[in-house]
Amino acid sequence: MGAQEVREGFVRLYGAEPEGVWAAPGRVNLIGEHTDYNDGFVMPFALPHIAVAAVARRTDGVLRLHSADLDGGVAELRLDELTPESDGAWTAYPAGVVWALREAGHPVTGADIHLSSTVPSGAGLSSSAAIEVVVALALNDLYDLGLQGWQLARLCQRAENVYVGAPTGIMDQTASACCEAGHALFLDTRDLSQKQIPLDLAAEGLRLLVVDTQVTHAHSGGEYGKRRAGCEKGAALLGVDALRDIAYADLDAALARLGDEEEVRRLVRHVVTEDQRVEQVVALLESGGDTRAVGPVLTAGHASLRDDFRVSCAELDLVVDTALTHGALGARMTGGGFGGSAIVLAEATDVATLTKAVEEAFAAAGYKAPRVFEAVPAAGARRLD
């Protein structure tokens, strides 16, 4: 839906004009998976797929929420009754943002919100972060809170961690709030310092495909939390604040110190090598050299996620293996894992062949048909009118 359609939907629902319409994108992560909650490096970019929200303020302590994408009427909540982990529906994401803003002392007195999103849900492309960020940006503007993008991202992360109960890192919300068109975002998740890295694959005859396996994942599930807890255990055993503090050159010595903690060893090895892969990709892109050299780094990242972090699945592995067999420069799962999407770096001339090969492989395996589209770095959160 465009801004006008969402505005008109708001009027039909609430009988009045909204005070504005805002958008926030989903994201794809080029490299840097499960590093954000380890104070490490990530490199996402925003997608053209967006969550759009028409919003108006209220003064009576009531929050009204509606999604054009889901069945059901308007959900009405009272701000003074918002309680963490009390809502298992989609409304927890926007309600959690309002809760987080109020917990931080910001004078939000209520809102009417109508949402629509083109970010595929459950595909590992941050559909929940897009909803959180678009609501946060709208309320920031309407209530004149004066918060910057990285501050909105922090509040949205708190909403997801505490209110929703999903132990996610800061990458998704920061990407949605802060990315720029034509660039990937090199983000240090420890201090939230950012660097916009130009990324124009088409100019080099390349394409980056997203393959949505249609296998839905859930960040609030127990496996994601187990990985995070294992990383925290590894940092504690190694006497550091976070795994970010283990230098790549010191990895072998650190692994030796972990002794027979085999599961923790695998998690530590992935995070430390993944941080190094992010820095490798940044160096390749900034050098002005051949971007094709990024491909093997992506593939190495997938092997680490599959074998050490163990968050891949049969469908994601099939995408990667099929793409590489049919000439892809590199491929890996992207997002939290346990389903979701993979990315494929390819020559523009090979896109049709690769797409057909992946679709045929899924059909032969009896899997649901994947959704394949090109990922082009798009703009971050903004007001549309």
Side-chain angles (χ1 to χ4, degrees):
M1 279 193 175
Q4 187 58 33
E5 291 173 283
V6 176
R7 174 182 287 277
E8 290 170 356
F10 183 99
V11 173
R12 287 194 298 272
L13 282 168
Y14 301 122
E17 288 283 339
E19 294 182 85
V21 182
W22 290 261
R27 66 95 190 98
V28 67
N29 193 23
L30 185 62
I31 193 73
E33 222 65 78
H34 290 275
T35 51
D36 58 347
Y37 54 79
N38 289 292
D39 282 3
F41 305 123
V42 295
M43 200 174 184
F45 62 83
L47 291 169
H49 306 72
I50 54 175
V52 180
V55 185
R57 288 169 290 181
R58 298 179 66 96
T59 60
D60 58 358
V62 170
L63 176 64
R64 294 198 291 182
L65 301 167
H66 184 267
S67 170
D69 310 315
L70 300 170
D71 294 332
V74 174
E76 185 168 314
L77 308 170
R78 291 207 57 84
L79 301 190
D80 56 8
E81 295 176 357
L82 296 180
T83 305
E85 297 193 57
S86 62
D87 184 351
W90 74 271
T91 49
Y93 295 96
V97 170
V98 175
W99 172 85
L101 285 167
R102 285 167 56 85
E103 283 286 300
H106 299 294
V108 176
T109 57
D112 286 339
I113 300 174
H114 175 54
L115 286 153
S116 182
S117 179
T118 59
V119 185
S121 178
L125 302 175
S126 298
S127 58
S128 59
I131 290 173
E132 292 161 358
V133 171
V134 75
V135 169
L137 180 62
L139 296 177
N140 182 55
D141 288 353
L142 290 177
Y143 283 97
D144 196 23
L145 303 180
L147 299 172
Q148 298 179 49
W150 66 271
Q151 293 172 304
L152 295 176
R154 278 284 193 214
L155 285 163
C156 289
Q157 183 200 17
R158 177 167 169 75
E160 189 150 344
N161 289 173
V162 179
Y163 194 88
V164 177
T168 55
I170 191 66
M171 175 181 66
D172 296 351
Q173 293 86 358
T174 306
S176 187
C178 301
C179 278
E180 295 181 3
H183 294 76
L185 178 68
F186 176 38
L187 174 67
D188 182 334
T189 65
R190 169 163 282 170
D191 60 13
L192 295 190
S193 59
Q194 304 175 16
K195 188 172 186 180
Q196 302 287 345
I197 309 294
L199 185 63
D200 186 355
L201 297 175
E204 299 185 56
L206 301 174
R207 297 291 187 272
L208 188 74
L209 301 178
V210 174
V211 182
D212 176 5
T213 65
Q214 306 275 7
V215 178
T216 302
H217 72 162
H219 267 169
S220 54
E223 291 301 315
Y224 187 98
K226 288 178 184 177
R227 302 306 189 280
R228 181 164 185 166
C231 290
E232 291 169 352
K233 180 179 179 180
L237 290 172
L238 293 168
V240 294
D241 291 336
L243 294 183
R244 148 73 174 277
D245 297 311
I246 304 298
Y248 179 70
D250 299 332
L251 177 58
D252 288 344
L255 295 178
R257 288 168 56 198
L258 291 172
D260 60 359
E261 292 278 358
E262 182 55 33
E263 183 175 354
V264 175
R265 283 165 55 89
R266 288 190 288 98
L267 299 179
V268 170
R269 182 165 52 228
H270 166 73
V271 172
V272 175
T273 58
E274 186 79 346
D275 272 336
Q276 194 266 346
R277 282 186 284 272
V278 176
E279 293 185 293
Q280 206 176 343
V281 170
V282 171
L284 286 168
L285 294 177
E286 288 193 318
S287 70
D290 190 354
T291 303
R292 288 164 178 80
V294 169
V297 185
L298 303 184
T299 304
H302 182 77
S304 182
L305 288 160
R306 180 193 63 211
D307 301 336
D308 275 343
F309 226 70
R310 300 187 183 183
V311 291
S312 189
C313 66
E315 292 85 351
L316 288 167
D317 293 342
L318 183 60
V319 173
V320 172
D321 294 344
T322 303
L324 293 174
T325 300
H326 288 81
L329 299 167
R332 74 173 191 91
M333 58 155 281
T334 187
F338 311 108
S341 299
I343 56 174
V344 178
L345 181 66
E347 302 285 353
T349 52
D350 291 339
V351 166
T353 300
L354 285 167
T355 300
K356 182 180 179 183
V358 170
E359 290 173 343
E360 289 178 345
F362 268 55
Y367 297 150
K368 186 176 180 180
R371 177 173 181 246
V372 184
F373 60 91
E374 182 183 348
V376 178
R382 68 270 188 196
R383 187 165 182 160
L384 294 181
D385 65 342

